[in-house]
Amino acid sequence: NGKPIGLMTVGKPYKLYNEYNQEVALLYIRKDFQRMGIGRQFLEIAKDEVRRKGFDRFVLSVNEQNENAIAFYEAMGGTTVCHDGGQRRIVFMIN
């Protein structure tokens, strides 16, 4: 109906994370649209964008208490690389 159902940003990290040159800084999907494959589509768009820019990975941070998001990112192939101040940093490698 023309209303946004989600939002994602992909690009240069707001905060430098060692060797990670690309970051998904925001990935939000309205609750009533979750579990419909939209998050998976967003991550595929992120991978395509990062690949287009010539990079082979991106990082994202998620609140340690957001167990659903962590489970989703891990199911999508993300790997936790560190825990930092209540945040879990997850990396996605791009083939």
Side-chain angles (χ1 to χ4, degrees):
N1 63 7
K3 293 182 181 178
I5 61 167
L7 138 77
M8 178 179 69
T9 63
V10 181
K12 184 177 177 181
Y14 172 73
K15 182 177 170 183
L16 294 179
Y17 297 121
N18 300 327
E19 69 273 12
Y20 307 114
N21 297 312
Q22 295 292 293
E23 173 185 40
V24 169
L26 300 171
L27 199 167
Y28 297 107
I29 299 167
R30 278 184 22 194
K31 194 158 193 78
D32 52 327
F33 283 91
Q34 292 177 5
R35 305 193 67 78
M36 295 180 170
I38 298 166
R40 179 185 304 268
Q41 291 176 11
F42 273 22
L43 284 178
E44 289 303 318
I45 291 168
K47 289 177 183 179
D48 289 345
E49 180 67 13
V50 169
R51 187 181 300 112
R52 185 187 67 75
K53 292 177 180 178
F55 298 103
D56 65 353
R57 71 189 101 186
F58 64 89
V59 65
L60 60 81
S61 293
V62 60
N63 185 298
E64 285 279 4
Q65 295 179 4
N66 192 341
E67 295 173 4
N68 290 336
I70 292 167
F72 168 71
Y73 294 137
E74 289 175 347
M76 294 297 103
T79 303
T80 297
V81 291
C82 83
H83 302 264
D84 181 21
Q87 296 288 307
R88 184 180 294 204
R89 198 159 306 132
I90 298 176
V91 170
F92 285 84
M93 300 300 293
I94 300 170
N95 301 329

